[in-house]
Amino acid sequence: MRDITRLKPALLGAAAMVLLATPGAAQAPAALSGLQTGIWELRDLGRSGRTPQHICVRNPERLLQVRHSGRACPRRILSQDSDSVTARYDCSGAGWGQTTVSAETPRLARIDTQGIHDGSPFHHVYEARRTGACS
């Protein structure tokens, strides 16, 4: 029994090394990896006649957090496959959101996002289309 007690720290250390070496949470979701960077036009499908929004996307994960842009909000992936990803994020004090990005082509995606922003609920469905390079 004494030998097991002595081995415990070594086993825990080995397990930690394996976990740190394993790719995982730091990797971008597969559905986003094929999306191109650049200027993306977001057309709100629920509000016709509204001027489209344009955003610079240097990292496709930016599309998961359209409403709370510019904030570093902890995020967790709820589900994903090769074409879509759903993530939930919490921006302490400013609200939260849950977003599904469905990639149709490297330059076209659908974004369904909802949550609370500064105390008010929101729900938007966007057609997102890459239109050019960021300046």
Side-chain angles (χ1 to χ4, degrees):
M1 195 67 156
R2 211 183 254 171
D3 291 334
I4 292 174
T5 307
R6 233 182 277 156
L7 286 176
K8 202 173 192 180
L11 291 174
L12 288 173
M17 299 271 295
V18 168
L19 288 174
L20 290 173
T22 304
Q27 275 186 324
L32 301 180
S33 64
L35 294 178
Q36 294 179 1
T37 59
I39 298 292
W40 282 72
E41 177 183 89
L42 304 182
R43 187 173 303 276
D44 193 334
L45 297 177
R47 294 188 170 93
S48 62
R50 192 169 190 187
T51 304
Q53 177 182 350
H54 293 86
I55 61 173
C56 176
V57 175
R58 297 187 191 287
N59 178 341
E61 288 185 66
R62 160 80 166 84
L63 298 174
L64 290 171
Q65 193 175 315
V66 174
R67 185 65 174 177
H68 295 89
S69 63
R71 295 183 179 268
C73 306
R75 175 183 338 139
R76 79 173 193 264
I77 303 300
L78 300 178
S79 65
Q80 66 177 317
D81 59 32
S82 61
D83 299 323
S84 70
V85 58
T86 300
R88 183 175 175 99
Y89 60 88
D90 184 13
C91 303
S92 57
W96 59 272
Q98 182 169 313
T99 304
T100 299
V101 176
S102 302
E104 296 181 26
T105 72
R107 300 170 59 96
L108 180 66
R110 179 183 174 97
I111 301 170
D112 188 334
T113 185
Q114 61 184 315
I116 302 291
H117 183 260
D118 291 334
S120 298
F122 67 89
H123 182 211
H124 300 281
V125 178
Y126 298 105
E127 176 187 78
R129 185 177 303 273
R130 185 186 183 278
T131 60
C134 294
S135 53

